[in-house]
């Protein structure tokens, strides 16, 4: 580690913080400013002018929006996420268990898709132009071009309807034994893995091909090096950074996929919570969920950026 | 497109292989369907024509019937109107705004570029489906809200792409010559920059269109996109998801429609002449 | 003395972007005797690198050998098995790449890469290979030969990397060295040093070599014999001496001609007294980066530069890359505001930026870029390119403009039909002439630029020079900015970085043009003048 790398990393962190602030701003104002009067919506049928005015005061809605933004931001930083409109529980409590569920899902998916995607991506790049490579390309393009819910419905059709191996729904309430656990996670994980690995294969393949096309790989070939040596000693060490970068970036596709997948399989995660919150217009809950998504997305992008910086041999061996 | 291809061969453009032509043909087909849907639908879209729901494919109902016994063929044809129409409108707005701002930022540079780039990068780091959820939660779902939301979500990506291309072109000597001649910003952008980035920008337009079709379908599938009684393809899948367990055509056909559109766009882009495609990768 | 290399009737085919197969090497025969250095010379696309690579049994992706044989020390690399090819590379034939900076793996130390050949082919123990590498570093005049190997490629300079690449090739004691334009990426001074290092090592070891280049001046330094290639065919073969001084083939003549801008000498220069100055620059200071409290930018490139260009004269500005030539051009053209100093045209001070200058002031200064490839908008037909200055400066339109475009094309000796073509459909020389014509278009009474040695490489430059010579009409003053090439013995004119002090007034043999009222600004960092 040296000063230049430290400066670049610090700059990345700074950019992430600014982005986060802008996102918080966007999320808050999208939810707070646009929807007319929250108090009226909450009270529904019983919205007499007096009741509305009282509720507005109680919820600090009569204060300027910018002040409310600041206090909301302060709350986020101190862990006070506010109260749910729908059932008046602490948002933090509602989120806690759900977040763990979603992280579990993401973790298992990553565990599955990364080795598969790495193998397919690197081998496809090594045998570029072969039938195998074309097959992998057609497969990834197809998966990327169809909606996540279609991958999910196809998975249900195949594994639950025709093969009857797995249940179509996940309910993680009473889990007994490993077999049960596998059956519950299987469907969401299969679906998400498909979506994520397709991205990952594509990006890994591109990263390796970029390295194989360099002049130093040609030079190694002209030195008489074997194919094995070229790939293992010359290409891969340099492709490692781009590959990890591609991994982190493709994992961000988890976030889009997870919303669909949790909904379709009724999986009790943050995304399902958020979709439900949208149907009840539970704004504090939506805001918190949105921030969780944005933070995880930004974290993944940050990791990708940092890896790209740290993997650059020019910077590393300064 | 021929007028803009850098590799103009004097007359009508370039060679495209069979896969690209098939892709283009399917896209064209869905566009025609989107326009002509009301006239070519065999039954009125909302009318219950069959007592049986989730009906099978038959000579009377080519794509079967849906969960209420409505004709699926008619609903898919009308759905094309929403899916293709909304996506096309959004991608057009997004790319128009993004490309215009991107070129201006590249040519002007300075603080304008710095601030705009930073801001749009932040906007770009919002997961799109999630942002769609937030907006729909806030203002409800109507077609204009959908178009605008999606356009806002995809404009930053388009900006970034166009800016990167324009920065490269802007560094070329012929742009410097135009500047030294005393040409204004608008002329420089319109005559010197734009014609040289249009190829990759069009390819990017296509890819973005695919993403938007997928996002819109996703939103509709969650019940947050096009609202009943109207339905785009995503909403058709949602309506008929109950038929999934016995493989009803009502849930499969709209899925295939989405896939046919998005895969065709990919096929077309991947088989564009190399000169256009290479720059866009 | 036998022939170490014998290439007989070599044909190579390549697949183009659009999928058609074209023959890029069409029946080439080349012999190289033991210990001889033969240069393959030609424009880009002439197939010289392709031929050189076949010596290693290699063709770039998309290419394939279609026929003929390539014998290296008696063995045909075309029919060899893959394992034999691997064994050949690095030990019998070694390759020195065009850009050493790209050919070194950035994540491995230099030493690891230099001794890799010995390791792959099990030529000697690692320790011995390292010692040999250090010896080679010393022979190639590299600084700190003992420790340079432990550095990473980005930690040494370009010229050193190029020599290290040669060390990498020499480690396996090959019989044949293949140099693929190994000095192109270097600046002139370094180029000379690297060439000398190559030559002495090769002579010492009695190795044969193939030296691929487009640069006749470089080739003249190193080669015993020259093979001139064009379109995948051999045009002419002969000793370096014979080819340079007595070319017989018309293409070779054209190629050589390009390096001998004849008819100009310093003695012809008329006294500059009594001539009216058209462009006066004084006390010019400029640079890049944020402006500091002293009013100067962070990176000052030009410091207190002064020059005067008189009507009917031309002024050359010479300097290595990085000396500020292009910056000077940018400042004068108003693309980069000067921090200090003034620029006057016809005695009238110009605004700092393009925006601060009137159209008429802008019209007087026209910029002509060196590389016609990037100087013309690839998406505009020639007619539109030439029309724009006419509309912009003179408000011309319709028939009058059409006629003027025709006249401009005629002036640069190009057919009128060319105006419907795109730049990509023109040859290098044609592009360069359009590049001129566009500058000429700014002033309709102008007839032709007299000076001709602008950038397009070799053939292009030469064709232009021919036509320009035939239509010698009037000269107008212009300022040439070019990189010094000390190959002609005038190496003393190298201003240091940040200081354009090396000035050299030169002038055409023709009489100054009394009518010419404009100056042209040329940027030509590619001028080469080997002694005739």
């Amino acid at each position: 580690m040296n000063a230049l790398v430290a400066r670049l990393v610090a700059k990345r962190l700074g950019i992430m913080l600014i982005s986060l602030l802008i996102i918080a701003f966007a999320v808050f104002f999208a939810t707070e400013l646009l929807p007319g009067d929250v108090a009226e919506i909450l009270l529904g049928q019983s919205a007499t002018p007096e009741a509305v005015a009282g509720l507005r005061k109680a919820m600090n809605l009569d204060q300027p929006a910018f002040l409310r933004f600041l206090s909301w931001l302060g709350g986020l930083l101190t862990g006070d996420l506010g109260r749910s409109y729908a059932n008046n529980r602490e948002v933090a409590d509602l989120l806690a268990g759900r977040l763990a569920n979603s992280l579990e899902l993401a973790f298992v998916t990553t565990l599955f898709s990364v080795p598969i995607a790495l193998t397919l991506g690197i081998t496809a790049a090594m045998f570029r132009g072969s039938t195998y490579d074309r097959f992998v390309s057609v497969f990834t393009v197809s998966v990327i071009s169809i909606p996540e819910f279609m991958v999910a419905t196809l998975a249900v059709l195949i594994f639950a309807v025709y093969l009857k191996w797995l249940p179509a729904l996940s309910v993680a309430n009473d889990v007994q034994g490993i077999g049960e656990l596998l059956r519950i996670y299987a469907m969401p994980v299969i679906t998400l893995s498909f979506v994520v690995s397709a991205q990952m294969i594509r990006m890994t393949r591109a990263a390796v091909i970029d390295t194989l096309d360099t002049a130093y790989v040609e030079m190694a070939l002209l030195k008489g090096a074997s194919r094995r040596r070229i790939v293992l000693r010359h290409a891969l060490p340099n492709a490692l950074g781009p590959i990890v970068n591609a991994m982190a970036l493709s994992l961000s596709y988890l976030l889009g996929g997870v919303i669909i997948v949790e909904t379709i399989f009724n999986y009790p995660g943050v995304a399902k919570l958020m979709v439900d919150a949208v149907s009840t217009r539970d704004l504090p809950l939506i805001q918190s969920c949105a921030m969780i998504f944005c933070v995880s997305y930004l974290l993944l992008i940050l990791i990708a950026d940092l890896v790209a910086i740290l993997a650059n041999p020019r910077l590393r061996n300064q | 497109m021929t007028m803009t291809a850098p590799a103009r061969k004097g007359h009508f453009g370039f060679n495209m292989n069979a896969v690209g032509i098939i892709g283009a043909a399917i896209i064209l087909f869905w566009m025609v369907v989107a326009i002509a849907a009301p006239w070519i639908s065999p039954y009125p879209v909302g009318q219950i024509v069959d007592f049986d729901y989730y009906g099978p494919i038959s000579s009377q109902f080519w794509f079967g019937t849906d969960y209420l016994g409505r004709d699926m063929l008619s609903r898919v044809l009308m759905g094309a109107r929403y899916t293709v129409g909304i996506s096309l409108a959004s991608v057009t707005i997004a790319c128009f705004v993004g490309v215009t701002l991107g070129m201006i930022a590249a040519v002007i540079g300075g603080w304008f570029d710095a601030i705009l780039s930073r801001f749009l990068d932040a906007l770009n780091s919002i997961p799109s489906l999630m942002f769609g959820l937030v907006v729909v939660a806030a203002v409800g779902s109507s077609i204009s809200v959908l178009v605008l939301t999606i356009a806002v979500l995809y404009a930053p990506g388009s900006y970034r792409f166009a800016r990167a291309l324009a920065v490269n072109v802007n560094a070329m000597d012929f742009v410097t010559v135009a500047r030294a001649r005393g040409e204004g910003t608008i002329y420089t952008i319109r005559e010197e920059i734009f014609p040289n980035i249009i190829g990759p920008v069009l390819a990017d337009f296509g890819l973005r269109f695919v993403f938007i079709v997928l996002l819109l379908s996703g939103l509709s599938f969650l019940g947050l996109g096009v609202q009943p009684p109207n339905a785009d393809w995503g909403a058709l899948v949602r309506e008929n998801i109950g038929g999934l367990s016995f493989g009803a055509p009502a849930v499969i056909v709209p899925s295939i429609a989405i896939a046919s559109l998005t895969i065709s766009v990919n096929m077309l882009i991947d088989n564009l002449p190399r000169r256009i495609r290479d720059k866009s990768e | 003395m036998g022939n170490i290399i014998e290439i007989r009737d070599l044909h190579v085919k390549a697949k183009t972007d659009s999928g058609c197969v074209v023959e890029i090497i069409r029946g080439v025969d080349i012999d190289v005797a033991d210990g001889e250095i033969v240069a393959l010379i030609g424009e880009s696309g002439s197939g010289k690198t392709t031929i050189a690579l076949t010596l290693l049994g290699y063709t770039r992706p998309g290419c394939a050998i279609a026929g003929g044989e390539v014998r290296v020390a008696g063995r045909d690399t075309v029919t060899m098995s893959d394992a034999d090819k691997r064994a050949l590379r690095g030990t019998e034939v070694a390759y020195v790449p065009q850009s050493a900076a790209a050919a070194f793996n950035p994540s491995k130390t230099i030493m690891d890469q230099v001794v890799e050949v010995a390791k792959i082919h099990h030529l000697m123990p690692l320790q011995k290979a390292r010692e040999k590498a250090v010896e080679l570093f010393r022979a190639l005049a590299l600084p700190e030969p003992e420790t340079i190997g432990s550095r990473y490629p980005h930690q040494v300079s370009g010229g050193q990397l190029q020599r290290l690449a040669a060390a990498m090739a020499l480690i396996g004691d090959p019989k044949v060295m293949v140099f693929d334009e190994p000095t192109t990426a270097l600046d002139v001074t370094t180029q000379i040093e690297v060439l000398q290092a190559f030559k002495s090592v090769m002579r010492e070891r009695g190795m044969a070599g193939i030296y691929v280049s487009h640069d006749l001046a470089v080739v003249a330094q190193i080669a015993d014999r020259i093979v001139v290639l064009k379109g995948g065919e051999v045009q002419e073969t002969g000793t370096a001496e014979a080819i340079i001084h007595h070319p017989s083939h018309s293409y070779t003549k054209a190629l050589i001609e390009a390096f001998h801008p004849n008819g100009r000498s310093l003695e012809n220069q008329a006294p500059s007294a009594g001539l009216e100055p058209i462009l006066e620059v004084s006390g010019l200071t400029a640079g890049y980066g944020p402006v500091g409290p002293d009013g100067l930018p962070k990176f000052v490139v030009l410091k207190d530069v002064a020059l005067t260009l008189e009507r009917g004269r031309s002024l050359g500005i010479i300097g290595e890359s990085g000396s500020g030539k292009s910056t000077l051009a940018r400042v004068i053209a108003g693309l980069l505001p000067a921090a200090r100093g003034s620029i006057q045209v016809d005695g009238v001070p110009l605004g700092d930026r393009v925006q601060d200058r009137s159209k008429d002031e802008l019209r007087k200064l026209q910029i002509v870029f060196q590389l016609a490839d990037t100087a013309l908008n690839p998406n505009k037909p020639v007619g539109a390119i030439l029309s724009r200055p006419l509309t912009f400066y003179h408000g011309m339109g319709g028939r009058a403009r059409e006629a003027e475009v025709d006249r401009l094309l005629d002036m640069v000796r190009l057919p009128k039909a060319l105006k419907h073509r795109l730049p990509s459909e023109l040859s290098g020389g044609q592009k360069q002439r359009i590049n001129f014509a566009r500058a000429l278009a700014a002033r309709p009474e102008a007839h032709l630029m007299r000076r001709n040695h602008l950038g397009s490489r070799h053939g292009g430059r030469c064709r232009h020079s021919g036509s320009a010579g035939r239509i010698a009409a009037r000269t107008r003053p212009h300022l040439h900015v070019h990189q010094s090439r000390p190959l002609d013995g005038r190496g003393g004119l190298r201003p240091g970085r940040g200081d354009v002090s090396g000035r050299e007034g030169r002038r055409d043999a023709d009489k100054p043009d009394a009518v010419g009222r404009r100056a042209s600004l040329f940027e030509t960092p590619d001028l080469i003048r080997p002694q005739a």
Side-chain angles (χ1 to χ4, degrees):
Chain A
M1 194 65 85
N2 54 58
L4 184 59
V5 172
R7 212 171 59 228
L8 282 171
V9 170
K11 195 177 161 199
R12 282 281 133 208
L13 285 172
I15 287 174
M16 178 184 162
L17 283 180
I18 294 173
S19 302
L20 206 54
L21 204 65
I22 294 176
I23 289 172
F25 194 80
V27 167
F28 182 83
F29 282 89
T31 49
E32 288 279 334
L33 291 188
L34 293 173
D37 198 308
V38 179
E40 259 173 57
I41 297 162
L42 276 182
L43 289 169
Q45 298 287 335
S46 56
T48 62
E50 297 76 35
V52 168
L55 189 62
R56 284 179 65 87
K57 199 157 184 66
M59 294 174 69
N60 291 332
L61 287 180
D62 48 351
Q63 286 182 8
F66 193 69
L67 279 183
R68 281 188 285 129
F69 173 63
L70 287 184
S71 71
W72 175 73
L73 205 60
L76 278 187
L77 292 177
T78 54
D80 172 19
L81 304 180
R83 276 179 176 280
S84 157
Y85 289 170
N87 51 18
N88 206 25
R89 285 177 59 194
E90 283 288 332
V91 170
D93 294 344
L94 283 171
L95 275 175
R98 295 295 193 110
L99 188 58
N101 284 346
S102 285
L103 287 177
E104 249 166 61
L105 184 58
F107 180 74
V108 178
T109 305
T110 312
L111 217 59
F112 259 97
S113 46
V114 167
I116 295 172
L118 266 184
T119 319
L120 288 178
I122 293 173
T123 45
M126 276 174 67
F127 304 105
R128 175 166 34 151
S130 66
T131 322
Y132 166 72
D133 177 35
R134 280 201 203 125
F135 178 78
V136 171
S137 291
V138 167
F139 167 75
T140 51
V141 168
S142 312
V143 173
I144 289 168
S145 319
I146 62 179
E148 290 98 348
F149 64 79
M150 201 171 147
V151 179
T153 46
L154 279 175
V156 170
L157 273 179
I158 294 170
F159 293 109
V161 178
Y162 291 116
L163 298 175
K164 300 201 195 310
W165 287 355
L166 301 161
L169 299 180
S170 313
V171 185
N173 292 337
D174 35 58
V175 180
Q176 284 143 6
I178 303 260
E180 190 81 2
L181 194 75
L182 271 181
R183 281 158 60 87
I184 286 162
Y185 278 116
M187 214 55 115
V189 168
I190 289 173
T191 310
L192 275 179
S193 297
F194 261 103
V195 175
V196 173
S197 5
Q199 286 292 346
M200 230 179 255
I201 292 168
R202 243 171 112 89
M203 291 171 95
T204 307
R205 178 179 175 275
V208 176
I209 282 181
D210 269 355
T211 325
L212 285 175
D213 275 347
T214 54
Y216 56 80
V217 166
E218 184 178 67
M219 188 66 225
L221 182 77
L222 292 177
K223 280 197 237 171
S226 61
R227 188 187 186 91
R228 206 180 121 85
R229 187 182 176 89
I230 290 170
V231 172
L232 292 182
R233 295 292 177 82
H234 288 274
L236 276 188
N238 287 296
L240 213 57
I243 287 176
V244 179
N245 179 287
M247 296 275 140
L249 282 182
S250 1
L251 282 180
S252 66
Y253 283 85
L254 263 178
L255 297 169
V258 89
I259 295 179
I260 300 283
V261 166
E262 289 191 2
T263 310
I264 206 169
F265 295 112
N266 219 2
Y267 183 91
V270 181
K272 181 79 175 73
L273 186 67
M274 184 170 172
V275 173
D276 293 343
V278 167
S279 51
T280 56
R281 302 187 66 143
D282 193 344
L283 293 184
L285 195 51
I286 295 173
Q287 286 167 346
S288 300
C289 291
M291 287 312 289
I292 287 178
F293 273 101
C294 289
V295 169
S296 16
Y297 188 77
L298 277 177
L299 275 177
L300 283 170
I301 292 181
L302 181 73
I303 292 170
D305 279 353
L306 292 186
V307 167
I309 292 173
L310 296 176
N312 186 337
R314 283 161 191 273
L315 294 175
R316 202 175 51 212
N317 302 316
Q318 199 72 34
Chain B
M1 211 148 151
T2 43
M3 55 165 276
T4 54
R8 181 158 64 174
K9 293 271 191 295
H11 59 96
F12 189 84
F14 34 75
N15 311 324
M16 193 152 41
N17 61 22
V19 181
I21 290 169
I22 293 172
I26 296 176
I27 297 166
L28 202 67
F29 167 76
W30 282 124
M31 294 221 176
V32 171
V33 166
I35 294 166
W39 298 283
I40 58 175
S41 299
Y43 302 93
V45 180
Q47 195 185 338
I48 296 173
V49 291
D50 191 10
F51 296 116
D52 199 11
Y53 51 90
Y54 292 134
I57 289 174
S58 65
S59 60
Q60 197 184 357
F61 309 111
W62 289 5
F63 289 170
T65 55
D66 74 351
Y67 71 113
L68 291 176
R70 293 175 291 193
D71 176 45
M72 267 319 281
L73 175 60
S74 308
R75 289 187 70 74
V76 167
L77 293 181
M78 262 320 261
R81 194 161 247 219
Y82 294 102
T83 298
V84 176
I86 294 175
S87 304
L88 210 54
S90 317
V91 76
T92 309
I93 297 174
C95 284
F96 179 77
V97 173
V99 171
T100 310
L101 286 178
M103 289 193 299
I104 294 175
V107 170
I108 292 182
W111 59 266
F112 178 82
D113 181 24
I115 291 177
L116 199 63
S117 295
R118 179 68 35 250
F119 176 73
L120 290 179
D121 270 358
L123 210 57
N124 209 12
S125 54
I126 299 180
S128 45
L129 189 56
M130 194 223 66
F131 189 80
L133 286 181
V134 172
V135 172
V136 169
V139 290
S141 184
S142 69
I143 287 177
S144 51
V145 167
L146 279 174
V147 169
L148 280 180
T149 308
I150 296 174
V152 167
L153 280 171
Y154 281 91
S158 173
Y159 164 85
R160 193 184 223 185
F161 183 79
R163 183 185 166 276
L165 289 170
V167 163
N168 285 342
V169 176
N170 193 41
M172 304 268 263
D173 291 342
F174 62 84
V175 181
T176 312
V177 169
R179 283 236 181 88
R181 194 192 298 142
E183 302 284 7
T185 308
I186 294 172
Y187 175 88
T188 311
I189 287 174
R190 197 188 58 216
E191 297 290 326
E192 308 285 355
I193 308 264
F194 186 65
N196 289 297
I197 67 170
I198 179 73
V201 160
L202 280 176
D204 178 63
F205 181 91
L207 279 182
R208 232 161 268 286
F209 176 75
V210 169
F211 292 140
I212 289 177
V213 169
L214 295 181
L215 173 65
L216 176 69
S217 307
L219 278 174
S220 291
F221 178 77
L222 293 174
L224 303 166
V226 178
Q227 297 299 315
N230 301 324
D232 68 337
W233 292 337
L236 285 177
V237 177
R238 175 189 170 82
E239 286 176 356
N240 298 304
I241 196 77
L244 181 62
S245 51
F246 44 91
V251 61
I252 295 169
V253 169
S255 301
I256 292 174
I258 297 171
S260 73
L261 180 61
T262 52
I263 292 178
S264 314
V265 175
N266 268 313
M267 274 159 59
L268 175 63
I269 293 170
D270 283 351
N271 291 288
L272 282 176
R274 184 169 291 215
R275 268 174 225 250
I276 296 180
R277 203 182 61 215
D278 276 357
K279 285 194 217 160
S280 65
E281 272 174 359
Chain C
M1 218 159 50
N3 284 340
I4 181 107
I5 296 173
E6 289 179 345
I7 297 177
R8 289 285 171 274
D9 196 29
L10 178 68
H11 291 261
V12 178
K13 286 189 168 146
K15 211 170 186 179
T16 61
D17 286 357
S18 45
C20 11
V21 174
V22 290
E23 202 169 48
I24 52 171
I25 304 296
R26 311 179 213 193
V28 163
D29 299 278
I30 295 171
D31 289 321
V32 178
D34 293 328
E36 189 185 34
I37 301 179
V38 172
L40 303 185
I41 190 162
E43 292 178 339
S44 62
S46 59
K48 48 195 194 307
T49 301
T50 309
I51 295 174
L53 286 173
T54 59
L55 293 171
L56 293 122
Y58 177 70
T59 48
R60 291 238 159 97
C63 300
I65 294 174
E69 49 185 52
V70 179
R71 294 198 164 274
V72 178
R75 293 161 69 208
D76 186 6
T77 66
V78 178
T79 52
M80 228 179 240
S81 73
D82 280 356
D84 284 347
K85 278 181 191 166
R86 276 206 297 278
L88 171 97
R89 293 169 185 163
T91 55
E92 304 257 314
V93 189
Y95 177 72
V96 181
Q98 178 166 22
S99 163
F104 272 98
N105 188 329
S107 62
K108 298 174 84 179
T109 63
I110 288 166
M111 183 56 89
D112 279 352
Q113 301 185 58
V114 171
V115 299
E116 195 179 4
V117 168
K119 207 166 159 185
I120 294 170
H121 302 289
H122 308 290
L123 297 176
M124 60 190 98
L126 206 56
Q127 191 48 43
K128 214 166 152 238
R130 292 218 176 92
E131 282 160 22
K132 186 169 182 191
V134 171
E135 240 170 75
L136 283 170
F137 295 162
R138 200 167 283 132
L140 287 161
L142 280 156
E144 302 166 41
E146 281 82 16
T147 56
I148 196 166
S150 60
R151 298 198 211 164
Y152 284 90
H154 63 273
Q155 293 166 326
V156 300
S157 75
Q160 290 167 3
L161 268 184
Q162 208 65 60
R163 275 175 279 173
L164 288 164
M168 186 158 76
L170 288 164
I171 193 105
D173 283 321
K175 298 190 180 108
V176 178
M177 295 275 278
V178 175
F179 295 95
D180 185 6
E181 308 204 34
T183 60
T184 321
L186 306 178
D187 70 51
V188 183
T189 338
T190 327
Q191 206 168 4
I192 301 277
E193 287 166 16
V194 171
L195 281 175
Q196 274 162 359
F198 285 170
K199 200 172 178 177
S200 69
V201 170
M202 302 248 324
R203 286 275 177 271
E204 205 173 281
R205 286 154 210 250
M207 289 174 181
I210 288 275
Y211 196 102
V212 170
S213 181
H214 68 268
D215 195 333
L216 202 63
V218 166
V219 163
Q221 307 269 317
I222 195 160
D224 300 313
R225 275 193 311 131
I226 294 177
V227 174
V228 181
L229 289 162
K230 189 193 178 197
E233 284 168 345
V234 174
Q235 303 298 311
E236 191 175 1
T237 309
T239 63
E241 182 77 2
I243 295 274
I244 289 173
H245 297 298
H246 315 284
S248 58
H249 196 280
S250 63
Y251 177 72
T252 317
K253 276 183 189 154
L255 204 58
I256 304 297
E257 186 79 353
F259 293 96
H260 298 274
N262 41 19
R264 269 205 328 257
S265 70
L266 293 171
E267 290 75 50
N268 279 343
Q269 193 157 0
S272 59
L275 286 171
E276 187 191 346
I278 183 159
L279 173 70
E280 282 174 283
V281 172
S282 60
L284 200 67
T285 300
Y288 300 92
V291 177
D294 53 352
L296 291 177
K298 195 170 174 195
F299 307 103
V300 176
V301 180
L302 300 173
K303 227 181 279 171
D304 208 15
V305 173
L307 57 87
T308 308
L309 174 62
E310 292 91 4
R311 189 148 283 144
R313 304 286 300 269
S314 54
L315 176 70
I317 294 176
I318 292 185
E320 285 191 326
S321 62
S323 60
K325 306 179 304 287
S326 310
T327 307
L328 178 61
R330 287 177 62 83
V331 174
I332 293 176
L335 296 167
L336 178 74
R340 286 183 198 150
S342 72
I343 304 161
Q344 295 190 359
V345 169
D346 281 340
V348 182
L350 289 183
D352 267 351
R353 294 175 302 159
V354 169
Q355 295 94 305
D356 307 329
R357 299 178 184 182
S358 73
K359 250 187 197 182
D360 200 49
E361 285 166 346
L362 290 167
R363 180 178 56 86
K364 290 176 180 173
L365 279 172
Q366 287 297 308
I367 194 161
V368 178
F369 276 97
Q370 167 211 5
L371 292 174
D373 284 330
T374 56
L376 303 178
N377 187 337
N379 278 298
K380 277 189 163 187
V382 166
I385 290 175
L386 295 182
S387 299
R388 182 61 193 174
L390 299 175
T391 318
F392 187 79
Y393 292 124
H394 308 291
M396 291 171 89
R399 282 243 179 89
R401 192 174 65 190
E402 284 291 299
E404 183 61 23
V405 169
D406 288 349
R407 212 170 64 80
L408 283 165
L409 284 172
D410 196 45
M411 226 184 274
V412 292
R413 289 288 146 107
L414 288 175
K416 291 184 181 64
L418 232 54
K419 66 183 167 189
H420 302 295
R421 297 238 198 120
L422 290 173
S424 59
E425 294 159 339
L426 303 179
S427 74
Q430 288 173 326
K431 277 186 228 177
Q432 196 55 268
R433 287 186 236 180
I434 299 297
N435 197 7
F436 279 119
R438 176 172 57 189
L440 291 174
R443 32 197 180 144
E445 77 272 26
H447 288 274
L448 196 87
M449 307 304 294
R450 178 65 180 82
R451 297 296 282 262
N452 51 46
H453 49 249
L454 280 157
S456 80
R457 286 196 162 157
H458 317 294
R461 182 190 297 157
C462 138
R463 280 193 293 279
H464 183 82
S465 110
S467 74
R470 281 194 300 278
I471 342 161
R474 311 174 184 181
T475 58
R476 55 202 65 257
H478 41 250
L479 186 64
H480 296 263
V481 183
H482 41 69
Q483 191 167 357
S484 65
R485 288 283 187 148
L487 297 177
D488 58 357
R490 275 187 278 166
L493 286 165
R494 282 205 309 274
R497 186 173 278 267
D499 178 19
V500 182
S501 60
R503 272 178 48 197
E504 182 191 12
R506 271 183 286 111
R507 198 182 71 85
D508 293 327
D510 308 66
K511 290 283 166 283
D513 171 19
V515 195
R517 297 195 60 80
R518 286 151 205 97
S520 293
L521 201 57
F522 289 86
E523 194 189 355
T524 69
D526 206 19
L527 176 69
I528 305 166
R529 275 161 280 118
Q531 58 274 50

